[in-house]
Amino acid sequence: MADIIQLLPESIANQIAAGEVIQRPASVVKELLENAVDAGSTFIQLVIKDSGKTLIQVVDDGKGMSETDARMSFERHATSKIREANDLFSIKTMGFRGEALASIASIAHVEMKTKPENQEMGTHLVIHGSVLKKQNVCPLNKGTTISIKNLFYNVPARRKFLKSDPVELRHIVEEFKRVALANPETSFTMVHNEMEVFHLNHGGMRKRIVGVFGKNFNEMLVPVEENTDIIKIKGYIGKPEIAKKNKKDQYLFVNHRFVKSNYLNHAIKLAFGDLIQKEDYPFYVINLDIDPAKIDINIHPTKTEIKFEEERLIYQYLKVTTQHALGKYNVVPTLDFQTTDRFNNIPHRNTSTPSQSAQTFKSNVNSESSKKDAQEINEWSQLYNEMGQEASNLYDEQQMLRIPSSLDKPSPRRSRNVDILETKKPYQIHNTFIISPIKSGYITIHQQHAHERILYEQYLEALDSQDATIQKQLFPINLHLNHEQTETMMLIIPTIQKMGFEIEHFGDHNFIINGIPALMQQVDISSMINELIEQYQANIELELGIHENVARSIAKSSCIKRGKPLTSEEMNSLISDLFSCEIPFISPGGKKCFIEVELNELEKQF
Ligand code: ADP
Ligand code: MG
């Protein structure tokens, strides 16, 4: 048989490598910003067109490159950051694998202009799909400007799988935030489609956090700091009030590199204890300085996962330092962290491998939290839960209660079956569930899910009919949003106006609210708007379209929450509104609004 194995041409090898490093425009942004940081820049500008699909440009004032280096930088495994294997254990730069530029150049049109300080003239290069198209000498300022156009032009499969512009932009903003938060001493700006999204002057970490997240955050920050031989911890945690339902605003950096670590995130969450709800995630921006020899960042091409030699110890330090910070700023007045030595409880240097210690720890955490869970459920509610669970299992088995997906058409048969006995008073338990008898047995309604469904349908209707009723505010409310929130708000203003908001933009990041939809019950308007925007951003990934997304987000942010006591009238109107809905069975997010228990099934339980 003839020999069939060949070496891949360099350009194909680069494209394959690009598949790992460059998944979407945001990955290019990350690599270019990190290169600019590594070049010692003091000012870095990111310019984006069409969410990076048309242009991604990074302008820096860093050390620039000589003509030869400029050419070399596009070769695979070409790096100035390490020279020998040992250097892998003392990495202080963001890059070191020497594959980003080669990868990017293999799947895009790239233009680079660069000049080091000590040279008269700079270099201008144009590369299309790994092929050098143009090279000349030209007068330039010190630093590097690199422009990436038509990303994935020669990889149609990749281009096709890019998400909508808002989704890709959100990923880019996320990468930008990570680099900007990790490097507060560098000034950054970001411009998208000619509009400035961020303008961040250099300064300390607090200033940077406020620049990124908005002025309101200033009072919400609690400093966290600790220096030990092994680790230096420095950053800010957010007061419990700004904890969120998602992990988006948790920024952990190791030697100024953003890292993902569920394990260490858990340490911080645990430190908050009962200050936040179980399903909430605290806000934080924390940098850990650790000897590079004690970590391994080379385990993943995008370098966001990291191995620590002393993971368990770091976990403890982080937890105790966070607890101490919360205690010191009186966020936890009942806890006493001022013991003689607050690191008393930290285990001694441990010799087990990080993965071993992580495992033992995790199992402890599980058993601890399940014990706590068990305590929290009182007997009554346990009985209730079991009952409900069994009942709904039975229904599933008998195919009686089929929960339709949100796309299913409403089932008139089902709606008829739920025949509320209006003369009977509904009953609320745990300020969350409403129990109401029906002819065939009883239903238990989840007040939050149900109200979310009701509002969602009502807001969509208001949008369709274009005649929303407005409740005027006695005193207009001023709203100051951050850059990102402003972008979202500008996008959704026409839609929320149709739903009954009287809201105007008056310059920069300021808005004024004169009226809110009549549908809206007593709510804290500013926090509702913040939640609305946050929810809208979280839903972007679902590609619902603006109307649908806004209706869902408003419903979620303004509905009656679990834990709110309701009067009989309120419960009755909630029940009748729910069963006037087109799809009463599930919330817009897909959660059951009620469960039904039939008498004969109830009988069987006894
Ligand atoms: P890495 O960052 O892993 O070294 P890259 O492919 O990202 O690999 O970059 C290759 C080399 O090009 C870098 O090591 C650096 O020497 C040079 N380089 C890239 N971007 C810049 C920049 N903005 N300013 C100065 N040098 C740069
Ligand atoms: Mg790099």
PDB file of all heavy atoms in Angstrom, residues 30-36 38 78-79 81 94-101 303, ligand 2:
ATOM      1  N   LYS A  30     -10.329  39.286  23.207  1.00  0.00           N
ATOM      2  CA  LYS A  30      -9.545  38.877  24.378  1.00  0.00           C
ATOM      3  C   LYS A  30      -8.062  38.808  24.015  1.00  0.00           C
ATOM      4  O   LYS A  30      -7.212  39.387  24.707  1.00  0.00           O
ATOM      5  CB  LYS A  30     -10.028  37.501  24.853  1.00  0.00           C
ATOM      6  CG  LYS A  30      -9.132  36.864  25.906  1.00  0.00           C
ATOM      7  CD  LYS A  30      -9.663  35.483  26.294  1.00  0.00           C
ATOM      8  CE  LYS A  30      -8.968  34.886  27.488  1.00  0.00           C
ATOM      9  NZ  LYS A  30      -7.671  34.302  27.205  1.00  0.00           N
ATOM     10  N   GLU A  31      -7.735  38.097  22.929  1.00  0.00           N
ATOM     11  CA  GLU A  31      -6.326  37.913  22.571  1.00  0.00           C
ATOM     12  C   GLU A  31      -5.643  39.246  22.264  1.00  0.00           C
ATOM     13  O   GLU A  31      -4.512  39.483  22.702  1.00  0.00           O
ATOM     14  CB  GLU A  31      -6.199  36.966  21.369  1.00  0.00           C
ATOM     15  CG  GLU A  31      -6.653  35.535  21.645  1.00  0.00           C
ATOM     16  CD  GLU A  31      -5.844  34.824  22.736  1.00  0.00           C
ATOM     17  OE1 GLU A  31      -4.674  35.195  22.957  1.00  0.00           O
ATOM     18  OE2 GLU A  31      -6.407  33.907  23.381  1.00  0.00           O
ATOM     19  N   LEU A  32      -6.337  40.118  21.515  1.00  0.00           N
ATOM     20  CA  LEU A  32      -5.698  41.391  21.137  1.00  0.00           C
ATOM     21  C   LEU A  32      -5.529  42.312  22.348  1.00  0.00           C
ATOM     22  O   LEU A  32      -4.498  42.973  22.497  1.00  0.00           O
ATOM     23  CB  LEU A  32      -6.511  42.099  20.052  1.00  0.00           C
ATOM     24  CG  LEU A  32      -6.670  41.345  18.725  1.00  0.00           C
ATOM     25  CD1 LEU A  32      -7.380  42.221  17.707  1.00  0.00           C
ATOM     26  CD2 LEU A  32      -5.321  40.879  18.165  1.00  0.00           C
ATOM     27  N   LEU A  33      -6.549  42.334  23.216  1.00  0.00           N
ATOM     28  CA  LEU A  33      -6.413  43.187  24.412  1.00  0.00           C
ATOM     29  C   LEU A  33      -5.285  42.676  25.294  1.00  0.00           C
ATOM     30  O   LEU A  33      -4.502  43.450  25.846  1.00  0.00           O
ATOM     31  CB  LEU A  33      -7.728  43.229  25.200  1.00  0.00           C
ATOM     32  CG  LEU A  33      -8.898  43.979  24.572  1.00  0.00           C
ATOM     33  CD1 LEU A  33     -10.137  43.884  25.459  1.00  0.00           C
ATOM     34  CD2 LEU A  33      -8.562  45.458  24.337  1.00  0.00           C
ATOM     35  N   GLU A  34      -5.192  41.360  25.410  1.00  0.00           N
ATOM     36  CA  GLU A  34      -4.125  40.802  26.257  1.00  0.00           C
ATOM     37  C   GLU A  34      -2.742  41.110  25.665  1.00  0.00           C
ATOM     38  O   GLU A  34      -1.805  41.417  26.404  1.00  0.00           O
ATOM     39  CB  GLU A  34      -4.324  39.293  26.427  1.00  0.00           C
ATOM     40  CG  GLU A  34      -5.501  38.992  27.343  1.00  0.00           C
ATOM     41  CD  GLU A  34      -5.664  37.518  27.701  1.00  0.00           C
ATOM     42  OE1 GLU A  34      -4.972  36.665  27.097  1.00  0.00           O
ATOM     43  OE2 GLU A  34      -6.483  37.228  28.579  1.00  0.00           O
ATOM     44  N   ASN A  35      -2.637  41.051  24.339  1.00  0.00           N
ATOM     45  CA  ASN A  35      -1.355  41.413  23.732  1.00  0.00           C
ATOM     46  C   ASN A  35      -1.003  42.862  24.032  1.00  0.00           C
ATOM     47  O   ASN A  35       0.154  43.190  24.307  1.00  0.00           O
ATOM     48  CB  ASN A  35      -1.402  41.201  22.218  1.00  0.00           C
ATOM     49  CG  ASN A  35      -1.192  39.735  21.850  1.00  0.00           C
ATOM     50  OD1 ASN A  35      -0.780  38.928  22.679  1.00  0.00           O
ATOM     51  ND2 ASN A  35      -1.493  39.392  20.604  1.00  0.00           N
ATOM     52  N   ALA A  36      -2.026  43.735  23.968  1.00  0.00           N
ATOM     53  CA  ALA A  36      -1.778  45.158  24.228  1.00  0.00           C
ATOM     54  C   ALA A  36      -1.347  45.360  25.687  1.00  0.00           C
ATOM     55  O   ALA A  36      -0.458  46.161  25.970  1.00  0.00           O
ATOM     56  CB  ALA A  36      -3.024  45.968  23.907  1.00  0.00           C
ATOM     57  N   ASP A  38       0.175  43.068  27.564  1.00  0.00           N
ATOM     58  CA  ASP A  38       1.528  42.505  27.652  1.00  0.00           C
ATOM     59  C   ASP A  38       2.577  43.461  27.095  1.00  0.00           C
ATOM     60  O   ASP A  38       3.735  43.428  27.506  1.00  0.00           O
ATOM     61  CB  ASP A  38       1.612  41.174  26.877  1.00  0.00           C
ATOM     62  CG  ASP A  38       0.946  40.030  27.634  1.00  0.00           C
ATOM     63  OD1 ASP A  38       0.673  40.194  28.839  1.00  0.00           O
ATOM     64  OD2 ASP A  38       0.689  38.973  27.008  1.00  0.00           O
ATOM     65  N   ALA A  78       5.157  31.505  17.634  1.00  0.00           N
ATOM     66  CA  ALA A  78       6.105  32.626  17.690  1.00  0.00           C
ATOM     67  C   ALA A  78       5.722  33.507  18.861  1.00  0.00           C
ATOM     68  O   ALA A  78       4.636  34.071  18.886  1.00  0.00           O
ATOM     69  CB  ALA A  78       6.033  33.430  16.391  1.00  0.00           C
ATOM     70  N   THR A  79       6.593  33.578  19.838  1.00  0.00           N
ATOM     71  CA  THR A  79       6.308  34.397  21.016  1.00  0.00           C
ATOM     72  C   THR A  79       7.583  35.035  21.549  1.00  0.00           C
ATOM     73  O   THR A  79       8.669  34.456  21.422  1.00  0.00           O
ATOM     74  CB  THR A  79       5.640  33.562  22.140  1.00  0.00           C
ATOM     75  OG1 THR A  79       5.416  34.403  23.274  1.00  0.00           O
ATOM     76  CG2 THR A  79       6.493  32.373  22.577  1.00  0.00           C
ATOM     77  N   LYS A  81       7.508  35.832  24.712  1.00  0.00           N
ATOM     78  CA  LYS A  81       7.225  35.801  26.146  1.00  0.00           C
ATOM     79  C   LYS A  81       7.853  34.633  26.904  1.00  0.00           C
ATOM     80  O   LYS A  81       8.026  34.718  28.105  1.00  0.00           O
ATOM     81  CB  LYS A  81       5.715  35.876  26.363  1.00  0.00           C
ATOM     82  CG  LYS A  81       5.182  37.185  25.757  1.00  0.00           C
ATOM     83  CD  LYS A  81       3.702  37.296  25.665  1.00  0.00           C
ATOM     84  CE  LYS A  81       3.337  38.467  24.758  1.00  0.00           C
ATOM     85  NZ  LYS A  81       1.903  38.563  24.492  1.00  0.00           N
ATOM     86  N   MET A  94       0.154  37.724  29.900  1.00  0.00           N
ATOM     87  CA  MET A  94      -1.115  37.057  29.593  1.00  0.00           C
ATOM     88  C   MET A  94      -0.897  35.972  28.536  1.00  0.00           C
ATOM     89  O   MET A  94      -1.398  34.876  28.624  1.00  0.00           O
ATOM     90  CB  MET A  94      -2.143  38.068  29.068  1.00  0.00           C
ATOM     91  CG  MET A  94      -2.554  39.106  30.072  1.00  0.00           C
ATOM     92  SD  MET A  94      -3.370  38.367  31.483  1.00  0.00           S
ATOM     93  CE  MET A  94      -2.141  38.617  32.730  1.00  0.00           C
ATOM     94  N   GLY A  95      -0.159  36.318  27.482  1.00  0.00           N
ATOM     95  CA  GLY A  95       0.102  35.349  26.413  1.00  0.00           C
ATOM     96  C   GLY A  95       1.406  34.623  26.677  1.00  0.00           C
ATOM     97  O   GLY A  95       2.200  35.042  27.522  1.00  0.00           O
ATOM     98  N   PHE A  96       1.606  33.505  26.009  1.00  0.00           N
ATOM     99  CA  PHE A  96       2.902  32.821  26.026  1.00  0.00           C
ATOM    100  C   PHE A  96       2.892  31.664  25.047  1.00  0.00           C
ATOM    101  O   PHE A  96       3.920  31.072  24.764  1.00  0.00           O
ATOM    102  CB  PHE A  96       3.260  32.299  27.437  1.00  0.00           C
ATOM    103  CG  PHE A  96       2.227  31.358  28.024  1.00  0.00           C
ATOM    104  CD1 PHE A  96       2.277  30.001  27.748  1.00  0.00           C
ATOM    105  CD2 PHE A  96       1.220  31.835  28.831  1.00  0.00           C
ATOM    106  CE1 PHE A  96       1.330  29.145  28.285  1.00  0.00           C
ATOM    107  CE2 PHE A  96       0.272  30.980  29.365  1.00  0.00           C
ATOM    108  CZ  PHE A  96       0.322  29.629  29.087  1.00  0.00           C
ATOM    109  N   ARG A  97       1.726  31.363  24.480  1.00  0.00           N
ATOM    110  CA  ARG A  97       1.656  30.199  23.601  1.00  0.00           C
ATOM    111  C   ARG A  97       2.003  30.542  22.157  1.00  0.00           C
ATOM    112  O   ARG A  97       2.211  29.642  21.332  1.00  0.00           O
ATOM    113  CB  ARG A  97       0.257  29.579  23.656  1.00  0.00           C
ATOM    114  CG  ARG A  97      -0.070  29.024  25.023  1.00  0.00           C
ATOM    115  CD  ARG A  97      -1.528  28.684  25.148  1.00  0.00           C
ATOM    116  NE  ARG A  97      -1.949  27.611  24.279  1.00  0.00           N
ATOM    117  CZ  ARG A  97      -2.321  26.402  24.680  1.00  0.00           C
ATOM    118  NH1 ARG A  97      -2.324  26.117  25.963  1.00  0.00           N
ATOM    119  NH2 ARG A  97      -2.706  25.489  23.835  1.00  0.00           N
ATOM    120  N   GLY A  98       2.009  31.828  21.833  1.00  0.00           N
ATOM    121  CA  GLY A  98       2.426  32.250  20.502  1.00  0.00           C
ATOM    122  C   GLY A  98       1.543  31.739  19.391  1.00  0.00           C
ATOM    123  O   GLY A  98       2.020  31.483  18.286  1.00  0.00           O
ATOM    124  N   GLU A  99       0.258  31.581  19.672  1.00  0.00           N
ATOM    125  CA  GLU A  99      -0.591  31.057  18.602  1.00  0.00           C
ATOM    126  C   GLU A  99      -1.758  31.959  18.245  1.00  0.00           C
ATOM    127  O   GLU A  99      -2.413  31.724  17.232  1.00  0.00           O
ATOM    128  CB  GLU A  99      -1.103  29.657  18.953  1.00  0.00           C
ATOM    129  CG  GLU A  99      -1.858  29.609  20.247  1.00  0.00           C
ATOM    130  CD  GLU A  99      -2.147  28.186  20.727  1.00  0.00           C
ATOM    131  OE1 GLU A  99      -1.770  27.229  20.046  1.00  0.00           O
ATOM    132  OE2 GLU A  99      -2.759  28.077  21.794  1.00  0.00           O
ATOM    133  N   ALA A 100      -1.988  33.008  19.046  1.00  0.00           N
ATOM    134  CA  ALA A 100      -3.184  33.817  18.792  1.00  0.00           C
ATOM    135  C   ALA A 100      -3.112  34.509  17.430  1.00  0.00           C
ATOM    136  O   ALA A 100      -4.004  34.356  16.603  1.00  0.00           O
ATOM    137  CB  ALA A 100      -3.372  34.838  19.911  1.00  0.00           C
ATOM    138  N   LEU A 101      -2.043  35.268  17.196  1.00  0.00           N
ATOM    139  CA  LEU A 101      -1.990  36.029  15.945  1.00  0.00           C
ATOM    140  C   LEU A 101      -1.963  35.105  14.732  1.00  0.00           C
ATOM    141  O   LEU A 101      -2.639  35.361  13.731  1.00  0.00           O
ATOM    142  CB  LEU A 101      -0.782  36.973  15.930  1.00  0.00           C
ATOM    143  CG  LEU A 101      -0.882  38.170  16.887  1.00  0.00           C
ATOM    144  CD1 LEU A 101       0.285  39.136  16.654  1.00  0.00           C
ATOM    145  CD2 LEU A 101      -2.203  38.907  16.724  1.00  0.00           C
ATOM    146  N   LYS A 303      -6.761  29.558  28.389  1.00  0.00           N
ATOM    147  CA  LYS A 303      -6.081  29.904  29.634  1.00  0.00           C
ATOM    148  C   LYS A 303      -7.003  30.488  30.704  1.00  0.00           C
ATOM    149  O   LYS A 303      -6.588  31.307  31.505  1.00  0.00           O
ATOM    150  CB  LYS A 303      -4.928  30.888  29.341  1.00  0.00           C
ATOM    151  CG  LYS A 303      -3.899  30.310  28.386  1.00  0.00           C
ATOM    152  CD  LYS A 303      -2.825  31.297  28.020  1.00  0.00           C
ATOM    153  CE  LYS A 303      -3.341  32.388  27.164  1.00  0.00           C
ATOM    154  NZ  LYS A 303      -2.673  32.794  26.001  1.00  0.00           N
TER     155      LYS A 303
HETATM  156 MG    MG B   2      -1.096  36.843  22.849  1.00  0.00          MG
END
